[in-house]
Amino acid sequence: MEDVDRQCWSNTPSDILRLISSRLVAGEYVVFRVVCKNWRLSLPDLHEYSYNSLFSCINSPCLIRLHEESGNVELFHPLYNAQMIQKMDIPELRGSRIRCAVKDWLLMSKGKFGMFFFNPITKVIIKLPDLLETDENLFPSWTFSCSPDSSSSDCFVVGFFFCGTPPMVYMIKVGESRWTLHDFYDEVEGINFMPNNPVYSKNNNIVYMLGHKGTLGILRINGNSTTETPTWEFHGKKLSHRKQISIQQVFTAEDTDNGGILVVFITHEEGKVDIWRYKMNGEELKKETVTSLAKKTLFVSFGVSFLRSCVAQGLGNKIYFPMFQDNNKGVFYCLAKHKYYSFDYSSPNYFNSVQPILSFWIQPSGMVPAEDVDRQCWSNAPTGILRLISSRLVVGEYVVFRAVCKNWRLSLPDLHDYSYSSPFSCVNTPCLITFYEETGEVEFFHPLYNAQMTQNYMDMLELRGSRIRCAIEDWLLMSKGDYGMFFFNPFTKVIMKLPDLLEEFENSFPSWTFSCPPDSSSSDCFVVGFFFSGFPPMVYMIKVGESIWKIHTFYHDEYGNNKELFFVPHNPVYFKNDNIVYTFGHKGTLGILKINENSTEESPTWKFHGKQLSHRKQNSIRQIFTAEDIDNGGILVIFLTHEEGKVDIWRYKMNGEGLEKEKVTTLEDKTLFVSYGGSFLKPSVARGLANKIYFPMFYDNNKGVFYCLAKHKYYSFDYSSTNCFNLVQPISSIWIQPSSRNYSF
């Protein structure tokens, strides 16, 4: 397509951008600002924005997540489906951990003994005495009665040991100088109780909690004192063993209007949601199933949950979980329809959702709503203006611009229908493909634009329940069930079936490769699978066009019956010119499989080279990727270690009969794209991509992540870290290389 001043709207004058953005709600503003780099530089960060904070405009909980290493706080507002990261610059937060929350106060721990309160809205810290040295921070479940700065009530802090008969209790009242530990010495016979999500009812000064077997534990704080021993009560019958093992997660929330607590069960069975009300009637526990929340919204997380009157149309009778889908879009469950939803997503289960660790709902309090000031007028901007602006944005910018708000999304065509060129046809660079087995949907991520799009292949029944094995160029090798194997091209939607695997082995071969695209007219396409282990491993083979698979078993005596050759193959790399396959073993040796006589009938030959890695080095490895090094010969082996995700690259290359190993410290002007089953070393196609490694990982709003070899750090557009702890790696993701043909969706 002609350029037609494509970038002119990326360079829109700041005054125009400020005029538009000043009429967007905070969540829309956040997305509008990240449309492109120049807009981000022209508009102030949300923290400095003169508009009201998204946490001040609606009395609704928001989800908070603390990044332990940096001490930064990530906030998500469900009403606007908006996220922001607050840079706290508070040393006490680094290395600390959220335990629970009440309103907008967090109870936090640091190290073995440190405990304190923190308010992320006001940035106030209230320190507590250190825990007792004899117990350290061994108490996983915590709660407190009210805000620690409350002038009307004493604030009690209570911690529970992970199990007991009944569990030990840690207690302190804000203002006291020492914690009190209460041990109950098996006072309640026959009760083995593991507490979940305690709920403090401050009016009665009691704590409700559900045990791991379904009984209700009630802890009474006696005499408004921490020194007087509290009293345990246990009520109700255990859940059936079948019910216990069906439960995946349990959340609890106080039911202020009806008394007692709501218990939310999520089962392993497709994430089915059940809600029960547990309420004391005198000395008797009453349990009733809850089928509707009426006009209320339930926000649940480990450590704190809220039942609130809904504050916006469409939020009634919904449950917000600490889960995200796609570009970190918040996920809620509709009790009426028994389905999980996001803005453009629905499913009867949550298998494709991500649940960040240590995320908690908090309730901002005491904020004063701002004037409306025709806030929504630019959300309802005329379609003609939106199309004019968006037509001058590159594809990645267009995707974000369209997602600013619901009306813009409805006014502008989806990327599949957009007249602009597909991002996968304009630049010769790999893209990451994530396949969802259940639906047959394929998600594409383009690293240059940091853009994602989903292609629906639901009409292709062959794809449902199938699994990606490996990739060459734009062809995927896929398996289905116990025996099915086929090739699939996600751009042309062409499927090429292979014969079924042999019945006696089924699909028990985890590592696969093939020599060239299956529609190649210049070369035979060999498909090779490797058994998960062996000395050496068995090999499955077929040549495209043949009618039956060949299995080759290698007897131990052929290779000296040497158990040191026990070999678990990783990420095989096919060198089609030599008809050999390099595969890296789990202990660091290189296995080379030679395909003899260009035939699957002829038994291939294994050779093994190199010494095993030290035991310490083997234990340090978290992931291994391999890629063909065309210019230098051999393969690149990329080690990702447990030690903060440190990255090491080595070149393994044969020199005659000897193996040469060389550490690689720079890729120079190349970019490396690595994943299981498909990796590519390519000349960099854009400024800033050289000497980088793209992993199949995402940060924040599914922003692609690369590793800079020069600085030894992970980066995204507004993120950097020396480790990969806060990154998400989708299952069944693989890099593919669109060929020179110009595909369009």
Side-chain angles (χ1 to χ4, degrees):
M1 179 179 175
E2 298 178 6
D3 196 14
V4 204
D5 292 325
R6 174 185 287 182
Q7 297 298 332
C8 68
W9 280 96
S10 298
N11 297 315
T12 302
S14 297
D15 290 344
I16 296 177
L17 294 176
R18 287 176 182 267
L19 174 63
I20 298 174
S21 63
S22 68
R23 295 297 185 266
L24 300 174
V25 298
E28 297 164 354
Y29 174 85
V30 171
V31 184
F32 182 85
R33 182 175 175 267
V34 299
V35 164
C36 62
K37 182 177 181 180
N38 285 336
W39 291 20
R40 192 163 59 249
L41 295 176
S42 299
L43 295 171
D45 187 73
L46 187 62
H47 309 293
E48 304 161 1
Y49 190 37
S50 60
Y51 212 71
N52 294 297
S53 164
L54 70 163
F55 309 113
S56 67
C57 38
I58 297 291
N59 184 29
S60 174
C62 59
L63 192 68
I64 186 169
R65 180 186 178 197
L66 176 71
H67 296 271
E68 294 184 25
E69 182 187 358
S70 64
N72 292 335
V73 170
E74 185 176 288
L75 298 155
F76 169 78
H77 197 289
L79 184 63
Y80 298 115
N81 208 56
Q83 280 186 316
M84 59 180 280
I85 292 181
Q86 181 80 23
K87 295 182 179 179
M88 292 295 175
D89 296 323
I90 300 175
E92 291 90 336
L93 297 184
R94 294 176 188 166
S96 59
R97 178 182 175 188
I98 301 174
R99 291 297 186 167
C100 61
V102 170
K103 293 186 177 178
D104 47 6
W105 282 94
L106 304 172
L107 177 64
M108 307 190 69
S109 64
K110 186 170 184 177
K112 294 181 178 180
F113 308 106
M115 297 292 290
F116 61 95
F117 290 104
F118 172 61
N119 190 313
I121 311 298
T122 62
K123 298 186 180 181
V124 172
I125 287 178
I126 298 178
K127 291 189 176 181
L128 291 169
D130 283 352
L131 298 173
L132 305 178
E133 290 188 9
T134 53
D135 298 287
E136 301 181 357
N137 207 328
L138 301 174
F139 287 58
S141 297
W142 292 85
T143 186
F144 56 104
S145 58
C146 61
S147 301
D149 60 351
S150 174
S151 58
S152 59
S153 305
D154 290 327
C155 177
F156 284 82
V157 184
V158 187
F160 299 88
F161 199 57
F162 67 90
C163 66
T165 58
M168 292 187 292
V169 175
Y170 238 143
M171 292 177 64
I172 199 170
K173 186 162 55 174
V174 172
E176 293 179 341
S177 59
R178 181 180 173 85
W179 290 83
T180 303
L181 179 65
H182 296 284
D183 196 337
F184 298 90
Y185 302 105
D186 299 345
E187 291 180 1
V188 185
E189 186 177 350
I191 293 293
N192 182 12
F193 191 81
M194 186 180 299
N196 282 309
N197 303 303
V199 177
Y200 206 120
S201 180
K202 69 175 182 179
N203 293 333
N204 304 313
N205 224 10
I206 62 176
V207 182
Y208 291 95
M209 67 184 64
L210 192 76
H212 66 300
K213 295 185 178 181
T215 53
L216 180 67
I218 298 178
L219 185 78
R220 295 189 180 275
I221 312 298
N222 296 319
N224 198 39
S225 168
T226 59
T227 56
E228 188 167 342
T229 301
T231 307
W232 274 107
E233 297 175 10
F234 296 93
H235 302 273
K237 296 180 180 180
K238 297 177 183 178
L239 299 174
S240 67
H241 183 67
R242 181 176 181 182
K243 179 68 174 177
Q244 289 180 40
I245 63 176
S246 73
I247 296 171
Q248 185 173 36
Q249 296 183 73
V250 180
F251 303 96
T252 54
E254 185 175 9
D255 188 357
T256 308
D257 291 346
N258 298 289
I261 61 172
L262 294 180
V263 181
V264 183
F265 297 101
I266 303 183
T267 69
H268 289 286
E269 185 184 344
E270 295 192 343
K272 181 184 176 185
V273 175
D274 287 328
I275 306 179
W276 287 79
R277 180 177 291 113
Y278 281 58
K279 179 180 178 181
M280 294 303 299
N281 185 9
E283 294 298 316
E284 181 184 357
L285 173 64
K286 283 194 170 182
K287 293 166 54 178
E288 62 177 328
T289 185
V290 177
T291 57
S292 172
L293 299 174
K295 294 183 178 180
K296 288 186 169 61
T297 311
L298 185 57
F299 303 86
V300 298
S301 59
F302 293 113
V304 61
S305 299
F306 300 97
L307 180 64
R308 291 287 182 261
S309 298
C310 62
V311 295
Q313 184 182 19
L315 288 187
N317 203 27
K318 307 293 192 301
I319 306 174
Y320 266 93
F321 291 100
M323 298 177 184
F324 295 93
Q325 198 272 334
D326 198 15
N327 290 323
N328 277 16
K329 301 169 184 173
V331 172
F332 61 84
Y333 183 85
C334 177
L335 277 171
K337 297 185 177 180
H338 307 292
K339 293 181 74 173
Y340 293 84
Y341 288 89
S342 187
F343 278 82
D344 55 359
Y345 163 84
S346 67
S347 174
N349 61 60
Y350 65 100
F351 295 156
N352 293 325
S353 299
V354 175
Q355 184 168 345
I357 300 172
L358 299 179
S359 294
F360 297 81
W361 291 103
I362 62 171
Q363 173 67 70
S365 60
M367 304 288 189
V368 180
E371 299 176 7
D372 199 9
V373 210
D374 292 324
R375 176 180 284 181
Q376 299 296 331
C377 70
W378 276 98
S379 298
N380 297 315
T383 301
I385 294 178
L386 296 177
R387 287 181 179 267
L388 175 63
I389 298 173
S390 64
S391 68
R392 296 297 185 268
L393 301 174
V394 298
V395 177
E397 298 165 355
Y398 174 86
V399 171
V400 183
F401 182 84
R402 182 176 176 268
V404 164
C405 64
K406 183 176 181 179
N407 284 337
W408 290 19
R409 193 160 58 247
L410 295 175
S411 299
L412 296 171
D414 186 73
L415 186 62
H416 305 292
D417 306 318
Y418 191 39
S419 60
Y420 212 73
S421 300
S422 163
F424 311 115
S425 65
C426 47
V427 177
N428 184 29
T429 185
C431 60
L432 188 70
I433 184 171
T434 301
F435 180 71
Y436 297 97
E437 297 181 23
E438 182 182 353
T439 62
E441 289 184 338
V442 174
E443 187 173 81
F444 295 91
F445 169 77
H446 196 287
L448 184 62
Y449 296 113
N450 208 52
Q452 279 186 316
M453 59 180 286
T454 299
Q455 181 74 13
N456 196 319
Y457 296 99
M458 292 183 68
D459 57 331
M460 303 183 71
L461 299 179
E462 295 91 337
L463 297 185
R464 295 185 190 172
S466 58
R467 178 182 173 189
I468 298 175
R469 291 298 188 166
C470 61
I472 295 290
E473 293 187 8
D474 46 8
W475 282 93
L476 303 172
L477 177 65
M478 307 190 70
S479 65
K480 185 171 184 177
D482 291 335
Y483 308 106
M485 297 290 291
F486 61 94
F487 290 105
F488 173 59
N489 189 312
F491 299 99
T492 61
K493 298 186 180 181
V494 171
I495 288 178
M496 295 180 63
K497 291 188 176 181
L498 291 168
D500 283 351
L501 297 172
L502 305 177
E503 288 188 11
E504 57 266 35
F505 292 100
E506 300 181 352
N507 205 330
S508 55
F509 286 56
S511 297
W512 292 84
T513 187
F514 56 104
S515 58
C516 62
D519 59 351
S520 173
S521 58
S522 59
S523 304
D524 290 326
C525 177
F526 284 82
V527 183
V528 185
F530 297 87
F531 197 57
F532 67 89
S533 65
F535 48 107
M538 292 187 292
V539 173
Y540 239 143
M541 291 177 62
I542 199 170
K543 185 161 57 174
V544 172
E546 293 180 341
S547 59
I548 190 168
W549 290 83
K550 308 297 187 304
I551 186 80
H552 294 284
T553 302
F554 305 89
Y555 297 101
H556 305 164
D557 53 3
E558 294 180 21
Y559 293 85
N561 200 21
N562 184 0
K563 293 189 177 182
E564 292 297 317
L565 292 178
F566 186 78
F567 191 81
V568 178
H570 284 281
N571 303 302
V573 177
Y574 206 119
F575 288 79
K576 66 177 182 180
N577 292 335
D578 301 316
N579 227 7
I580 60 175
V581 182
Y582 278 35
T583 182
F584 193 75
H586 68 302
K587 294 184 177 181
T589 54
L590 181 68
I592 299 180
L593 185 77
K594 172 69 175 175
I595 312 298
N596 295 317
E597 304 297 333
N598 199 39
S599 168
T600 60
E601 295 281 356
E602 186 84 14
S603 182
T605 307
W606 274 109
K607 286 187 179 180
F608 297 92
H609 303 273
K611 296 180 180 179
Q612 295 181 3
L613 300 173
S614 68
H615 186 66
R616 182 177 180 181
K617 178 68 174 176
Q618 291 179 40
N619 289 337
S620 73
I621 296 171
R622 178 182 175 186
Q623 292 178 294
I624 300 174
F625 303 96
T626 56
E628 183 179 3
D629 187 359
I630 298 175
D631 292 345
N632 297 291
I635 60 172
L636 295 180
V637 181
I638 301 92
F639 298 100
L640 193 61
T641 69
H642 289 288
E643 184 186 346
E644 296 190 343
K646 181 184 176 184
V647 176
D648 285 329
I649 305 178
W650 288 79
R651 180 178 291 111
Y652 280 60
K653 179 182 178 181
M654 294 303 299
N655 184 4
E657 292 297 315
L659 173 64
E660 293 183 349
K661 291 168 55 178
E662 174 188 7
K663 186 164 186 176
V664 177
T665 58
T666 177
L667 300 174
E668 297 179 344
D669 59 348
K670 290 186 172 61
T671 310
L672 186 56
F673 304 86
V674 299
S675 60
Y676 291 117
S679 298
F680 301 92
L681 180 64
K682 296 291 181 185
S684 60
V685 295
R687 185 179 61 175
L689 288 188
N691 203 28
K692 306 293 191 298
I693 306 173
Y694 267 92
F695 289 98
M697 299 177 183
F698 294 94
Y699 170 77
D700 199 16
N701 290 321
N702 278 15
K703 299 168 184 173
V705 172
F706 60 82
Y707 183 85
C708 177
L709 276 172
K711 297 185 177 180
H712 308 291
K713 293 180 74 174
Y714 293 85
Y715 288 89
S716 187
F717 280 85
D718 55 359
Y719 165 84
S720 67
S721 176
T722 55
N723 62 62
C724 56
F725 295 155
N726 292 321
L727 306 179
V728 175
Q729 185 168 344
I731 299 172
S732 196
S733 291
I734 193 169
W735 291 100
I736 61 173
Q737 173 65 70
S739 66
S740 57
R741 289 164 287 189
N742 185 17
Y743 301 117
S744 61
F745 289 94

